[in-house]
Amino acid sequence: MAESIALRDAADLFESSSAGLSPLGVVQKLTLETLQSNGYPTDGLYSKPILNAAWADADLVINMSGYQRERAFPRSEWDKVEDWPVEDPYGCDPGVYQRIFEDIRTRIASLTARLRDGAADK
């Protein structure tokens, strides 16, 4: 969900890509339906792992894995990781997917505002 939301709502500010520590290999049907019902694109979304090249190129990594960055990422890279405690909707009903969609959208809006404010301060 985060990739689609960021691609639509923050494309002017940063490039977005989603990858997982342990991807399932498929984007859940309810994820796609939730995005589509809220007017967000789903074309090109697919489940993928974090690749070394993408990790190296990233300035900021939003960690929604459920594991704190200290447990999931190399110590030397912690400074570019921001933990977001976002619930995983897998196996839940559509209402839970919608609630989590709204949580992620709010978090991305907050991040976008923070980055814009930081850019304005420079």
Side-chain angles (χ1 to χ4, degrees), residues 60-100:
L60 175 64
V61 175
I62 302 300
N63 174 27
M64 295 188 289
S65 70
Y67 298 107
Q68 292 184 344
R69 66 180 172 198
E70 292 83 3
R71 192 167 160 211
F73 301 99
R75 178 182 296 263
S76 62
E77 303 283 356
W78 289 349
D79 61 323
K80 73 179 186 180
V81 179
E82 185 171 316
D83 291 328
W84 285 5
V86 174
E87 182 183 350
D88 185 351
Y90 181 76
C92 294
D93 64 67
V96 173
Y97 276 79
Q98 181 62 35
R99 180 173 47 79
I100 292 168

Side-chain angles (χ1 to χ4, degrees), residues 3 7 16 28 32 37 48-50 53 57 61 67 102 106 110:
E3 180 178 359
L7 284 171
S16 302
Q28 294 299 301
L32 297 173
S37 71
K48 57 194 167 288
I50 298 173
D57 289 343
V61 175
Y67 298 107
E102 291 167 7
T106 298
S110 177

